[in-house]
């Protein structure tokens, strides 16, 4: 199919952008929010995925006597740039530079925010299965005075089992054992094992709940990649109980073991997340919030932590 030649602009159409400006002053940011466009991201396995994104884009307006920016030019440069650029620090810098250039001297700074869902393929704990897991992501990039400022936000879901509830459950189990075997002497390993495997062997269970770690990191500019997958992997490893995708019984049992090995209050989880972020050379500063959506009571347990690396 032959390409359609561009249509020359009509000189007779009115252009109010050159009219005088009431209350003239420069503006910090002018642009658009909620633009729907596809973006290309890495899939964590050496390939790429194209996913839908919601994008905000802005430039500053430095000339107080200019009525407005070239809004359509900013949109068209963004759309064209995202069709060819993978989301990397270098790609974002290029997009922002083009955004400034599109304004023909009206702006010297640009900002872009991208929100999308990263899909990562995760293997089951024990079985041969795997499934896709969704991680909400936001990238906030600003080009000012030639310097790129880059922040990355994402969230990770995990399971949290309450240490206090676990201790109370162990006590209840021990008391039932003492009651059931008060007159049994001697005790054989087989009898105790059978009792533990029966319904009588579980007098109480600790409460657990799905939980979420929400993270924002300010990245150092000298790296060529966005460390999204590496940061997610590090946080999931630190927490020890990331929620699963494809699950067979052997995987569910393995997950139950992980929960028993990683009992944690929200305070414990926040410290684990902070320790993981503190070890990543890409991260200049971090802010993290963990929320345990409690099953014991109707309100959530929340902890926040922040820090700087070097």
């Amino acid at each position: 199919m032959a390409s359609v030649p561009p249509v020359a602009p009509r000189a007779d159409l009115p252009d109010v952008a050159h009219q005088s400006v009431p209350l003239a002053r420069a503006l910090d940011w002018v642009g658009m929010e909620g633009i729907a466009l596809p973006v290309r991201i890495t899939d964590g396995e050496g390939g790429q995925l194209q996913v839908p994104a919601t994008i905000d884009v802005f430039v500053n307006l430095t000339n107080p006597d200019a009525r407005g920016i070239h809004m359509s030019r900013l949109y068209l440069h963004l759309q064209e740039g995202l069709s060819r650029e993978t989301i990397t620090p270098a790609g974002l810098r290029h997009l922002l530079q083009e955004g400034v250039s599109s304004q023909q001297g009206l702006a010297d700074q640009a900002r872009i925010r991208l929100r999308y869902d990263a899909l990562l393929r995760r293997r089951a704990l024990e079985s041969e299965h795997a499934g896709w897991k969704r991680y909400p992501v936001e990238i906030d990039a600003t080009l000012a005075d030639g310097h790129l400022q880059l922040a990355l936000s994402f969230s990770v879901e995990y399971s949290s089992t309450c240490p206090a509830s676990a201790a109370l459950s162990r006590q209840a189990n021990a008391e039932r054992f003492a009651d059931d075997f008060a007159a049994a002497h001697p005790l054989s390993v087989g009898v105790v094992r059978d009792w533990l495997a029966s319904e009588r062997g579980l007098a109480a269970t600790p409460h657990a709940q799905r939980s979420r770690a929400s993270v924002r990191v300010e990245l150092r500019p000298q790296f060529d990649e966005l460390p999204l997958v590496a940061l997610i992997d590090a946080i999931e490893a630190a927490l020890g109980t990331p929620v699963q995708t494809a699950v067979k019984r052997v995987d569910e049992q393995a997950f139950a073991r992980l929960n028993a090995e990683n009992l944690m209050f929200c305070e414990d989880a926040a410290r684990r997340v902070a320790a993981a972020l503190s070890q990543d050379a890409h991260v200049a500063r971090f802010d993290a919030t963990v929320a345990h959506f409690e099953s014991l009571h109707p309100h959530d347990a929340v902890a926040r932590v922040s820090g700087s690396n070097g």
Side-chain angles (χ1 to χ4, degrees):
M1 181 178 178
S3 60
V4 178
V7 178
R10 287 178 52 183
D12 62 325
L13 295 177
D15 185 358
V16 299
H18 299 295
Q19 293 178 352
S20 61
V21 180
L23 307 175
R25 67 185 301 159
L27 299 174
D28 295 339
W29 296 114
V30 185
M32 293 157 280
E33 292 185 341
I35 302 170
L37 287 172
V39 297
R40 291 191 294 161
I41 62 171
T42 59
D43 64 3
E45 297 181 341
Q48 290 186 354
L49 294 172
Q50 182 169 283
V51 298
T54 301
I55 302 167
D56 309 332
V57 63
F58 306 95
V59 293
N60 63 340
L61 181 56
T62 57
N63 183 354
D65 295 318
R67 187 166 189 184
I69 68 167
H70 300 294
M71 196 80 73
S72 61
R73 294 178 189 174
L74 186 61
Y75 175 87
L76 293 171
H77 276 80
L78 176 70
Q79 179 174 251
E80 181 184 353
L82 287 173
S83 70
R84 66 174 186 269
E85 299 279 2
T86 304
I87 302 303
T88 64
L92 289 168
R93 176 185 287 275
H94 193 200
L95 283 173
L96 292 166
Q97 288 171 335
E98 287 189 337
V100 171
S101 297
S102 73
Q103 300 306 303
Q104 298 180 327
L106 294 178
D108 59 14
Q109 298 180 12
R111 183 180 184 184
I112 185 170
R113 288 196 301 255
L114 301 98
R115 293 177 294 278
Y116 64 91
D117 287 341
L119 287 173
L120 301 181
R121 193 167 182 267
R122 297 313 211 184
R123 292 201 59 81
L125 292 173
E126 294 289 341
S127 70
E128 74 280 8
H129 299 288
W132 292 91
K133 197 166 161 188
R134 179 177 68 90
Y135 298 86
V137 176
E138 179 175 310
I139 299 169
D140 190 347
T142 301
L143 188 67
D145 301 322
H147 299 291
L148 179 66
Q149 302 167 9
L150 193 56
L152 175 64
S153 302
F154 59 92
S155 61
V156 171
E157 290 189 334
Y158 62 100
S159 174
S160 59
T161 302
C162 175
S165 183
L168 295 168
S169 298
R170 288 194 299 268
Q171 182 188 49
N173 291 336
E175 289 174 350
R176 178 177 287 182
F177 178 86
D179 291 341
D180 285 2
F181 291 96
H185 298 289
L187 280 176
S188 70
V189 171
V191 169
V192 174
R193 182 190 60 207
D194 291 343
W195 182 87
L196 289 171
S198 71
E199 290 186 3
R200 289 293 300 173
L202 194 62
T205 59
H207 74 81
Q209 52 274 320
R210 188 183 299 178
S211 305
R212 181 178 298 127
S214 301
V215 174
R216 184 181 189 275
V217 295
E218 296 173 13
L219 298 173
R220 293 194 170 102
Q222 64 264 37
F223 295 97
D224 295 329
E225 74 281 353
L226 286 172
L228 174 65
V229 177
L231 288 170
I232 289 173
D233 288 345
I235 289 173
E236 289 191 337
L239 292 168
T241 55
V243 298
Q244 301 296 299
T245 56
V247 175
K248 304 294 283 184
R249 281 179 294 174
V250 65
D251 304 307
E252 189 169 355
Q253 187 179 64
F255 188 66
R257 288 194 179 113
L258 286 175
N259 274 269
E261 294 167 2
N262 291 279
L263 304 173
M264 52 187 153
F265 296 120
C266 64
E267 297 93 333
D268 302 315
R271 293 183 178 109
R272 291 188 182 199
V273 170
L277 295 173
S278 297
Q279 296 172 16
D280 195 296
H282 297 83
V283 176
R285 176 177 172 76
F286 63 86
D287 295 272
T289 299
V290 298
H292 291 186
F293 309 126
E294 294 283 350
S295 59
L296 176 64
H297 37 64
H299 49 269
D300 303 332
V302 178
R304 295 183 174 89
V305 63
S306 62
S308 300
N309 296 348

